Amino acid sequence: MNKIYILCVDDEPDVLEAIERDVEIFEDVFPIELAESAAIARGLIEKITAQGDQLGLIYCDHVMPAMQGVDFLIELQQNERTKKTKKVLVTGQAGLDATVKAVNQCNLNHYIAKPWNGKELIDVTKKQLTDYIIDNNIDPRPYMSVLETSRLSEQIYKLGLWNDE
Amino acid sequence: MEFEDFKTEWAYKAEVHSVLERIKQLKNESIVFNAGQRIIAEGEKTDVIYFILEGQAEILKQGHGELVVDKFGPGDFIGLTAFLTKQPSLLESLAVSEVTCLRLHGVEPDHLTHEHPQVREIIQRLFISNLATRTRRMIGLNIKVAELGTQLKDRNRELNEAMQKLEHTRNQMIHREKLATLGQLLAGIAHEINNPCAALSRGVENLIEDLPKLLENNLQNQNSKLTAQMLRAGLDCPYWNSEVKHERMNYLMQTYSGMKRSLARRLARMSEETLSSLPCLKEKLSAEAMASLEHQLDYFDAGTYLRTVSLSSERIQKLVLSLKNYGKQDQGQAELFDIREGIHNTLIVLNNKLKNYRVNLNLEPIENLYCHGGEINQVWTNILINACQATPQGGEIDIRSYLEKDDIKVSISDSGHGIDPQLLGQIFEPNFTTKNTKADFGLGLGLAISREIIAKHGGRIEVANREKGGACFTVCLPLSLKDKYPV
């Protein structure tokens, strides 16, 4: 079965570890990858898609060396393989301009301001991944336990998968 | 020769006098105007000419606040132009003192010259003399007007310059005020943050010291030594590089077949040494061993959380210190100041902007100088912000400090688009800006103020384009500031 990945990008190792800790509970259903820069993230996405898996959700910091988060998300939006990936900007400081650009050009799905709290990050992860499953007509059954169960149940019904049981 | 002299010399004194005597004898029709009395009104048609014998008259033009156009005295004609042209008088004539005139009716001049040919020539000369006088005055007036015009232009230019200076000063004062406010705010906020931060760091230090001991002394726990060791290992856990961690996870999942990713992720944070000290970590993990392993991992994780709190509180303390030093407000007097530390603090404050550039620091040891540290930091800030704006992201910014002869020099160069050579001479001028109105620091005062700050310290600031592209600003401060205040 194809795996759906979560990717977290932040240039500050302590912040990256904090995000990692908060999404760890999804690990056994949605493998997690980490990157300190857009360049590393790009390589990981290449690997994930090459092995036939997909990137379901990306958490991306905005203020980073070399390439800013918003620009990287726009790049992903323009790439067929990551167009559908749910994109979340995590930032301590993005000006209005950057945020507007993100919403308009990369179809930003959510915006998280630093510092966040653990529950917020978990809820956002659940919602975004549930959206991803539904939007892409993926069989929700393997993901029920860690995502929004009621919405996924409806989806199962809609897809006519109850009959299989 | 002035026109007044002309009149006196030629007309009045000599011949005129005798002529007047003769005419007076002939007609004896003189008329007296009292001071303030009108002789001819503006717009009035006249068929008489007045020839002034005594007293002073003013010639006025209405509509310009009674502009005095001319002054007439003995020997002058009043109404000459109106009489000769038969047009309404352009001007008004007014007696200033008591004026005695000879009134000549329209017919009389001809009549007079006809009957007394000997006065004809003199009358003509008088006319000509009068007209010549007026022409001379007009030329004189025109020259005067031109002179006044030039003076006015000069005065206008001076006023404009003064206005510009005032505006510049005003903008600078606003800027200074802003900086002073910023400095106070920074100091205030720094203080406020420092208090909880001190409590935080003390708390976490105590916890780091006591918690492992508490665990060791827990008699109920058979593995008390191991749990304490795990906690300590967590405290020493580094922030792993994502690629290294990725490899370690893969290695663990290969070594322990069937190991879940989530467990591998947690174990991947441990060093080899810590991993080998876990007796329960076997190739085949029984349920019991798994529970024990998770238990130890929880202690290790607790250690890493404490480590994060501790490192973060240290980071906050450093930041706060930098903020405080960066916005340093001198109380008038310059203080011995570490220029290099100032540069470091400025870099921390600008970290957000500078993140997108490769900053190469090459700071040779330099002497501490007596200077206004907060202001000097402002100079680095201004130059660095300009460098960021002129350099595409990913570009380089080089900062050097070194001693050259009797100067301490700090050069900041970037790999940006450089400065238009034609504008090089202007960039320190107030209100010079190449940025649009959306720029962060739009006043266009940054470099002007920087130059002033450096000048105040007896130094200078230079700019040049580098051969390999980009601009290079060099600030030179006199080494003599190491043991004396700036003048």
Side-chain angles (χ1 to χ4, degrees), chain B residues 247-292:
Chain B
E247 275 165 32
R248 290 176 62 82
M249 277 177 70
N250 280 345
Y251 165 79
L252 282 165
M253 286 188 291
Q254 275 163 19
T255 312
Y256 305 97
S257 59
M259 180 182 278
K260 285 187 171 177
R261 265 184 84 97
S262 55
L263 181 62
R265 181 172 297 283
R266 293 178 77 187
L267 287 170
R269 294 194 184 104
M270 290 181 165
S271 66
E272 282 304 321
E273 193 193 341
T274 313
L275 279 174
S276 62
S277 66
L278 281 170
C280 42
L281 186 60
K282 306 248 170 56
E283 252 184 66
K284 265 286 173 204
L285 283 165
S286 64
E288 195 186 340
M290 188 65 207
S292 166

Side-chain angles (χ1 to χ4, degrees), chain B residues 34-52:
Chain B
N34 295 326
Q37 198 180 346
R38 184 185 292 152
I39 303 171
I40 295 179
E42 190 176 331
E44 181 186 323
K45 282 194 174 182
T46 177
D47 54 358
V48 292
I49 311 169
Y50 297 98
F51 186 85
I52 303 177

Side-chain angles (χ1 to χ4, degrees), chain B residues 347 350 353-354 356-359 379-399 411-419 427 434-435 441 447 463 466 469-473:
Chain B
L347 292 179
L350 290 181
K353 272 191 190 297
L354 293 172
N356 299 312
Y357 304 93
R358 266 178 297 155
V359 179
V379 174
W380 315 139
T381 309
N382 288 334
I383 298 176
L384 283 169
I385 285 173
N386 282 339
C388 287
Q389 271 156 355
T391 311
Q393 291 188 5
E396 278 187 66
I397 295 175
D398 294 311
I399 307 175
S411 74
I412 299 178
S413 50
D414 60 63
S415 63
H417 52 60
I419 299 162
I427 61 164
T434 56
K435 302 165 200 163
F441 280 60
L447 288 176
V463 62
R466 300 195 305 177
C472 177
F473 286 84

Side-chain angles (χ1 to χ4, degrees), chain B residues 384-455:
Chain B
L384 283 169
I385 285 173
N386 282 339
C388 287
Q389 271 156 355
T391 311
Q393 291 188 5
E396 278 187 66
I397 295 175
D398 294 311
I399 307 175
R400 283 183 64 205
S401 70
Y402 52 99
L403 181 70
E404 196 176 274
K405 287 183 194 160
D406 293 329
D407 282 327
I408 278 181
K409 293 195 174 184
V410 173
S411 74
I412 299 178
S413 50
D414 60 63
S415 63
H417 52 60
I419 299 162
D420 183 342
Q422 291 182 325
L423 300 179
L424 267 177
Q426 299 171 39
I427 61 164
F428 292 108
E429 295 302 320
N431 303 327
F432 174 84
T433 180
T434 56
K435 302 165 200 163
N436 58 22
T437 48
K438 280 179 94 182
D440 309 28
F441 280 60
L443 267 182
L445 283 173
L447 288 176
I449 286 173
S450 300
R451 183 178 61 173
E452 211 170 77
I453 290 171
I454 296 302

